Amino acid sequence: LRRLIMYICDYMSKDLITVSPSTSMMQAADLMDEKDINRLPVIKNDKVIGLVTKETIIANRPSQATSLSAHEVNYLLEKTRVEEIMETQYLTIGPKEQVEKAAQLMLQHHVGVLLVMEDTKLLGLITDKDIFKAFAEISGYTVKGAHLVIELAKDKQGVIEEVGDALVETNKNLTHMTVYHVDQGIRVALHIDDQETDSLKRALENRGYHVMAIYLKD
């Protein structure tokens, strides 16, 4: 059994909102609030030179303990340009890389976003939320129906054919199939588009598969 490949280009955010280096902190903060986003790539001469985030802006705001007046604080926010505070060290990934690689990079480097680049061209962003959504979608968790989880002691040939025969026999429509490699062997989660699972469970067990769990999704 092989995992279904999930490409970055299928899950990244493509409708990018960017700013120039001369954009003020105030403008960047207002833009992120207006568009309900947390990050803005900084573009100069059609190339990415940095990334400004809500966290970056918060870290560079005057402290609440400051003696500055609200007018003076706003003046500083309007005067400070994003090129002065932006993150110039950021991680990138290619559009045809797998989502799993993006997840690994984010975990390894403790970041929540990767810039999707092809050579020097910015194509999109992929965030931790995009990855959560990808795994939820690919598993069928967001779709009404039922999950049946079967367990195999080890990988073997013919699994998909036998599962397919069980589905045909019981007139069930498979919408998603996900393979998990675990210490005990292999688990396969099957998602069907209705919640009557008894007949499929019997058909799978008759073929020697252990159905370890059934989950219904309304």
Side-chain angles (χ1 to χ4, degrees):
L1 287 173
R2 296 185 181 272
R3 293 179 184 269
L4 182 64
I5 296 176
M6 297 183 289
Y7 290 117
I8 297 293
C9 60
D10 294 326
Y11 295 96
M12 68 184 187
S13 301
K14 301 175 184 177
D15 297 328
L16 292 179
I17 299 171
T18 64
V19 292
S20 70
S22 61
T23 302
S24 71
M25 278 180 60
M26 179 74 80
Q27 290 172 319
D30 289 344
L31 185 57
M32 282 190 269
D33 287 341
E34 177 189 344
K35 301 298 183 180
D36 192 25
I37 55 178
N38 297 319
R39 307 162 181 94
L40 292 168
V42 183
I43 305 295
K44 182 178 182 180
N45 297 328
D46 296 326
K47 292 185 178 180
V48 181
I49 63 169
L51 185 69
V52 63
T53 69
K54 280 190 175 181
E55 291 80 5
T56 308
I57 289 178
I58 290 171
N60 285 275
R61 284 181 182 272
S63 168
Q64 291 184 346
T66 182
S67 59
L68 295 174
S69 68
H71 175 74
E72 290 171 320
V73 168
N74 288 337
Y75 173 77
L76 287 175
L77 294 178
E78 194 59 55
K79 183 180 178 181
T80 304
R81 298 181 298 179
V82 295
E83 66 179 346
E84 300 174 55
I85 65 165
M86 66 185 184
E87 300 172 13
T88 56
Q89 300 295 318
Y90 48 83
L91 294 176
T92 67
I93 195 166
K96 289 298 184 181
E97 296 286 359
Q98 296 183 37
V99 168
E100 290 92 338
K101 182 175 181 179
Q104 181 183 23
L105 283 172
M106 289 183 191
L107 288 170
Q108 181 181 348
H109 295 278
H110 307 288
V111 297
V113 63
L114 303 175
L115 302 188
V116 184
M117 307 280 292
E118 195 164 57
D119 296 325
T120 60
K121 184 178 180 181
L122 177 64
L123 301 180
L125 298 176
I126 188 159
T127 69
D128 45 9
K129 290 183 180 179
D130 295 324
I131 289 177
F132 296 151
K133 181 181 178 183
F135 282 104
E137 287 183 357
I138 207 70
S139 68
Y141 183 77
T142 59
V143 180
K144 182 178 180 179
H147 269 92
L148 293 88
V149 182
I150 60 178
E151 190 171 62
L152 294 75
K154 60 180 180 179
D155 201 352
K156 67 174 186 177
Q157 293 182 342
V159 173
I160 293 178
E161 181 180 356
E162 291 178 346
V163 168
D165 289 343
L167 291 162
V168 171
E169 177 184 313
T170 56
N171 195 30
K172 297 297 181 184
N173 182 39
L174 179 70
T175 61
H176 300 76
M177 183 170 72
T178 312
V179 180
Y180 304 89
H181 292 263
V182 294
D183 291 340
Q184 298 84 358
I186 296 174
R187 289 175 187 161
V188 182
L190 309 172
H191 186 276
I192 59 175
D193 60 4
D194 71 79
Q195 296 187 348
E196 193 289 301
T197 61
D198 290 345
S199 59
L200 180 57
K201 180 175 182 291
R202 285 194 300 270
L204 290 167
E205 289 175 341
N206 288 341
R207 288 166 172 78
Y209 294 100
H210 169 55
V211 179
M212 62 178 299
I214 296 174
Y215 306 98
L216 303 182
K217 175 66 177 178
D218 294 322

